[in-house]
Amino acid sequence: AVVSTQSGHYGQVDVEGAWGDEDLGLEDGSEPEFEKSDGEGSGAGWDVDEDLELPPDLDINVTTVTGGSYNPPAIGTSTAKRWADNSQFAVDHLMGGSPDSAMRLLDDQVGVVDFNPFKSLFMQVMGRGAVCLPGIPCQAPMFAYPPRNLADNAPKNTLPRKFIKLNELVEQLQVGYQLTTQGKFSDAAEKFHSILLSVPLLIVDTKEEMNEAIQLMGICREYILGLQMELTRKELPRRTVDDQVRICELAAYFTHCNLQPMHLMLTLRTAVSLFYKMKNFKTAASFARRLIDLGPKPDIATQMRKILAACDKNPTDEHKLQYDQHNPFVLCAKSYQPIYRGKAVERCPLCSVNYMPGFKGQICSVCKVAEVGKECIGLRICPNQFR
């Protein structure tokens, strides 16, 4: 057959005799006949020997795949799970969605046994570990996990971003100061308590920041203790002399809390007024001297000097109180009684407030989460503490 392809066009093909049936011998419509082979030819064939002698101790596990089944790969470790595996900070475990391990860490470190006050804070932390990325309609959203350090985000080093920052807590502390100045003691105590519970969920980078966080916790402890005593004092009855004596005792103890000077002056003015009315002039004079030493406003200083002059004319105390200003003491946060130097004392492992030995094992009345007197490893908020 000849094909012409001039100018890119196909010509005619002569197929006569090229594709006919006569070569197949099918003119009569019968089937073609082939020679039958008995399997023996001139060649030797394939040299396949199935009767090989193998050692009898071979043990081979043969897995037979039937039905076209598919074995999916093993599930990998999520980013949130790696956060909990890579960190010893409770807040990182919360960000990774592992509240159980976070609670165990807080129990071991600072003796937390009641986590109900932590509930709202835990929910806030766990809700900010991931970022939700909406997808197309009718499809589930995707989630991204922002890391703390993009430069070192390898699986073995990845950690979540920081949730609580120290400077934010310092700003909240100023709000607590303002509420205290305004006389809103219940709101102020709640604000200081919120700050106190946030400190164990901090992560700081330097020792200086760690010391500042511990100092912040101490400030909150002193204010909570003092404000609780003041609220208790305001609720006490005033019918008998013993009631009046107890009111004066609580006012005196409040002046020994480590407060800001402006707030300490307010507690001293209250104590001076109460003790002067109870005719405990000697003790009232000591409060007036402490107030003058703080440098109050001129009108307040003038008033205190007048009270001091009146008390010096009769420097006696008409009623005996359980208060000795010359004997160093710490306050029991449960009974509001002094624990003088040399006496046995128990402390809260979280806020370090003091208790009489009889209150060991109870829930702290200041932080409301830790067990009094429990042995713990201590607060852990800085990576340097694990080196």
Side-chain angles (χ1 to χ4, degrees):
V2 178
V3 180
S4 174
T5 58
Q6 295 180 358
S7 302
H9 299 282
Y10 293 96
Q12 296 181 351
V13 179
D14 184 8
V15 298
E16 183 178 355
W19 300 91
D21 293 339
E22 62 276 5
D23 294 339
L24 301 178
L26 301 176
E27 293 84 351
D28 56 356
S30 61
E31 295 293 331
E33 296 181 359
F34 300 94
E35 291 187 5
K36 296 182 179 180
S37 173
D38 57 0
E40 297 179 358
S42 59
W46 297 100
D47 295 333
V48 178
D49 188 357
E50 298 180 357
D51 299 330
L52 297 178
E53 294 183 1
L54 299 175
D57 57 346
L58 291 179
D59 186 11
I60 301 177
N61 294 325
V62 179
T63 302
T64 304
V65 179
T66 59
S69 62
Y70 168 69
N71 295 326
I75 299 177
T77 304
S78 66
T79 301
K81 179 64 169 58
R82 288 196 179 99
W83 288 348
D85 294 340
N86 296 340
S87 177
Q88 300 183 58
F89 296 115
V91 65
D92 289 341
H93 287 244
L94 289 174
M95 296 282 278
S98 300
D100 292 339
S101 58
M103 289 188 287
R104 285 194 298 270
L105 286 173
L106 290 176
D107 184 16
D108 295 338
Q109 294 173 3
V110 289
V112 178
V113 294
D114 185 2
F115 290 91
N116 288 323
F118 272 113
K119 182 177 180 179
S120 61
L121 190 57
F122 275 23
M123 296 297 291
Q124 294 179 35
V125 176
M126 295 177 64
R128 298 188 184 184
V131 177
C132 181
L133 304 175
I136 61 177
C138 301
Q139 294 294 325
M142 298 179 293
F143 292 90
Y145 299 88
R148 185 180 305 168
N149 187 1
L150 289 173
D152 186 13
N153 195 31
K156 65 178 181 179
N157 297 326
T158 182
L159 292 170
R161 59 182 176 174
K162 296 180 180 179
F163 171 69
I164 302 175
K165 297 181 180 179
L166 183 60
N167 59 344
E168 295 175 352
L169 296 183
V170 173
E171 293 176 359
Q172 295 182 28
L173 182 67
Q174 301 303 319
V175 177
Y177 286 157
Q178 294 175 4
L179 293 172
T180 304
T181 304
Q182 296 169 4
K184 300 178 180 179
F185 297 149
S186 296
D187 294 340
E190 291 180 2
K191 175 59 67 175
F192 289 121
H193 184 254
S194 174
I195 299 172
L196 179 62
L197 294 187
S198 300
V199 173
L201 302 181
L202 272 176
I203 297 180
V204 296
D205 298 323
T206 63
K207 185 177 180 180
E208 290 74 16
E209 290 178 329
M210 181 182 67
N211 294 333
E212 185 177 353
I214 295 174
Q215 181 182 5
L216 177 63
M217 182 179 292
I219 293 173
C220 294
R221 175 194 66 231
E222 294 294 317
Y223 269 86
I224 294 172
L225 176 60
L227 293 173
Q228 286 179 345
M229 281 195 302
E230 184 66 8
L231 291 171
T232 301
R233 183 186 70 82
K234 291 179 177 295
E235 295 176 355
L236 289 177
R238 302 170 182 265
R239 294 185 294 268
T240 65
V241 175
D242 292 339
D243 294 338
Q244 298 289 339
V245 168
R246 182 57 177 164
I247 289 174
C248 289
E249 288 177 350
L250 293 179
Y253 299 151
F254 196 8
T255 65
H256 289 268
C257 293
N258 189 11
L259 309 179
Q260 294 293 306
M262 60 180 301
H263 299 141
L264 183 58
M265 284 190 288
L266 292 173
T267 64
L268 289 169
R269 289 180 64 184
T270 300
V272 168
S273 176
L274 290 174
F275 276 77
Y276 188 85
K277 293 177 181 179
M278 285 287 293
K279 298 182 180 180
N280 280 34
F281 301 121
K282 181 179 178 181
T283 308
S286 66
F287 291 135
R289 292 189 183 93
R290 288 176 58 190
L291 181 54
I292 293 173
D293 292 340
L294 292 176
K297 294 180 180 179
D299 55 338
I300 298 176
T302 301
Q303 181 187 16
M304 290 299 107
R305 290 190 181 93
K306 292 180 180 180
I307 294 176
L308 184 59
C311 292
D312 288 341
K313 293 180 180 179
N314 185 19
T316 59
D317 289 336
E318 184 171 325
H319 302 280
K320 183 176 179 57
L321 281 73
Q322 193 177 357
Y323 170 69
D324 185 0
Q325 59 179 327
H326 302 293
N327 190 1
F329 65 89
V330 294
L331 280 174
C332 174
K334 185 72 77 170
S335 64
Y336 302 139
Q337 297 288 346
I339 305 175
Y340 292 101
R341 181 179 297 176
K343 300 294 184 179
V345 62
E346 296 289 344
R347 290 184 175 85
C348 171
L350 175 58
C351 64
S352 299
V353 73
N354 301 284
Y355 289 90
M356 292 180 174
F359 297 105
K360 182 178 181 180
Q362 298 187 15
I363 301 297
C364 176
S365 60
V366 173
C367 67
K368 298 180 174 63
V369 294
E371 178 183 335
V372 176
K374 186 173 183 178
E375 295 292 334
C376 302
I377 62 177
L379 183 67
R380 295 291 184 268
I381 58 174
C382 181
N384 295 333
Q385 294 175 290
F386 297 100
R387 295 177 183 172

